[in-house]
Amino acid sequence: MTAPRLGGYALLAVAGVLVGAAGALVQAAWFPGGLLLALLAVAGLCYGGVKVMGARMGGGVPAGAWTVAVLLLTSSRPEGDFLFGAGLGSYAFLLGGMFIGVMCATLPLVPQPPGPPVRLGK
């Protein structure tokens, strides 16, 4: 693995953490539009990572970083504070984001055949 490719994956991981933290705040603040915006951000980051890196790992790295960040944000603090409320939107964000991340990380990469875009033999 080359250094630029490794740097790209590191940037995708940092972006996954940032999208997870921002989504945790936005999804509860502007429900239901914030929930939709947060899930679209996860989908855009993961699918964009697949397309930019040209590999499934491009979607798996930000999805994994997003999942770790969001799960760490759901843990309680010694004071008893939570960042997530116990509403339906929080569960939709957690499960929907994980579902979207897995979908993007397992997309098949179908290479296009080389040659002109016409039917053979015609």
Side-chain angles (χ1 to χ4, degrees), residues 19-20 24 26 31-32 34 67 80 101 108:
V19 167
V26 168
F31 188 79
T67 302

Side-chain angles (χ1 to χ4, degrees), residues 39-40 42-51 55-64 66-67 94-110:
L39 290 176
L40 283 173
V42 174
L45 176 64
C46 293
Y47 186 70
V50 169
K51 288 299 180 184
R56 291 182 184 152
M57 192 178 212
V61 168
W66 180 89
T67 302
L94 289 170
L95 296 175
M98 288 180 195
F99 180 72
I100 289 170
V102 168
M103 274 184 20
C104 290
T106 57
L107 280 173
L109 296 174
V110 180

Side-chain angles (χ1 to χ4, degrees), residues 16-121:
V17 170
L18 292 175
V19 167
L25 298 172
V26 168
Q27 62 89 19
W30 299 327
F31 188 79
L35 174 63
L36 203 59
L37 182 66
L39 290 176
L40 283 173
V42 174
L45 176 64
C46 293
Y47 186 70
V50 169
K51 288 299 180 184
V52 167
M53 299 306 283
R56 291 182 184 152
M57 192 178 212
V61 168
W66 180 89
T67 302
V68 169
V70 169
L71 289 178
L72 287 176
L73 291 173
T74 60
S75 63
S76 65
R77 296 179 35 200
E79 297 87 18
D81 297 335
F82 286 98
L83 187 61
F84 286 95
L88 182 63
S90 297
Y91 292 116
F93 177 64
L94 289 170
L95 296 175
M98 288 180 195
F99 180 72
I100 289 170
V102 168
M103 274 184 20
C104 290
T106 57
L107 280 173
L109 296 174
V110 180
Q112 296 298 319
V118 295
R119 292 181 62 175
L120 298 176

